[in-house]
C-alpha cells in the first residue's frame, strides 16, 4: 500500500505540551513567552480550561498600533486575541489537516477532543510528519 492510502492520525504529530495563556495574562508576558519559547501563537484558555481564543504574533503587533492612539503600550491577552477560533478534531487525518492549511492563512490549529483542548498542530508539524513518513520509503 502506498503512503497516500494511509489515513495517518494527527495525534502522533501534534504538540501536546502546550504553552497557553489566559485572557487576563498581560500582553507583554505573552510576547516575552513567544520570544523565549520560539513560538508564533498559542491557545487562550479560561479558568475551566475551555478554549476561548488564540493569540498570534500578528495579534500582538496590534499593541504597537493601538499604543499610538491610547499613548499606552500594554493591555491583556483578551483585548488582542482572536475569539473566532478555527480548530481541528483529534479524529482528523493528517491529509485533511494539510488540506485545511493549504486553503487558509492559518499557521496552526488547536486540536480538540470533543470540547477539550488536547493539543495544537502547526504547518511545521505537518512538514515534520511528511519527513518522518517518507523515511525508509524507496523513491522509484
Amino acid at each position: 500500500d502506498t503512503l497516500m492510502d494511509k489515513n495517518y492520525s494527527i495525534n502522533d504529530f501534534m504538540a501536546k505540551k502546550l504553552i497557553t495563556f489566559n485572557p487576563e495574562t498581560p500582553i507583554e508576558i505573552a510576547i516575552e513567552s513567544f520570544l523565549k519559547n520560539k513560538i508564533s501563537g498559542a491557545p487562550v484558555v479560561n479558568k475551566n480550561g475551555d478554549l476561548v481564543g488564540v493569540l498570534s504574533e500578528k495579534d500582538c503587533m496590534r499593541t504597537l498600533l493601538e499604543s499610538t492612539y491610547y499613548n499606552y503600550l500594554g493591555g491583556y491577552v483578551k483585548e488582542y486575541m482572536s475569539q473566532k477560533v478555527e480548530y481541528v478534531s483529534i479524529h482528523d487525518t493528517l491529509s485533511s489537516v494539510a488540506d485545511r492549511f493549504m486553503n487558509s492563512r492559518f499557521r496552526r490549529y488547536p486540536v480538540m477532543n470533543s470540547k477539550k483542548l488536547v493539543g495544537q498542530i502547526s504547518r511545521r508539524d505537518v512538514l515534520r510528519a511528511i519527513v518522518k513518513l517518507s523515511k525508509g520509503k524507496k523513491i522509484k
Side-chain angles (χ1 to χ4, degrees):
D1 62 350
T2 67
L3 197 55
M4 299 331 295
D5 294 337
K6 293 191 190 304
N7 287 319
Y8 292 100
S9 162
I10 61 173
N11 190 45
D12 302 327
F13 303 105
M14 68 184 194
K16 293 173 183 147
K17 289 195 178 90
L18 289 190
I19 291 165
T20 61
F21 302 118
N22 76 48
E24 304 302 325
T25 302
I27 197 72
E28 315 82 83
I29 301 290
I31 293 170
E32 284 170 14
S33 179
F34 281 175
L35 296 170
K36 190 179 84 191
N37 297 294
K38 296 183 172 69
I39 58 171
S40 60
V44 182
V45 293
N46 66 15
K47 288 180 183 71
N48 305 328
D50 303 320
L51 182 65
V52 294
V54 170
L55 186 72
S56 70
E57 287 175 320
K58 196 172 172 182
D59 297 326
C60 294
M61 288 185 188
R62 286 201 354 252
T63 60
L64 193 61
L65 301 176
E66 293 186 6
S67 73
T68 55
Y69 295 114
Y70 303 117
N71 205 13
Y72 166 69
L73 192 57
Y76 297 93
V77 165
K78 65 183 173 190
E79 297 164 43
Y80 298 101
M81 68 184 192
S82 304
Q83 290 179 4
K84 190 180 164 291
V85 180
E86 296 252 349
Y87 61 87
V88 296
S89 162
I90 187 75
H91 305 295
D92 287 348
T93 62
L94 199 56
S95 45
S96 72
V97 172
D99 190 57
R100 292 265 310 264
F101 278 126
M102 288 171 66
N103 292 298
S104 82
R105 57 184 179 75
F106 295 111
R107 295 199 173 126
R108 76 199 64 75
Y109 289 110
V111 180
M112 304 294 284
N113 187 354
S114 174
K115 290 190 160 95
K116 191 168 161 30
L117 176 67
V118 292
Q120 178 171 274
I121 192 155
S122 68
R123 290 180 182 185
R124 193 155 293 166
D125 294 327
V126 174
L127 293 180
R128 267 191 215 103
I130 292 168
V131 168
K132 204 171 186 177
L133 294 171
S134 66
K135 295 274 189 231
K137 301 280 175 215
K138 295 270 188 292
I139 297 168
K140 292 183 172 65

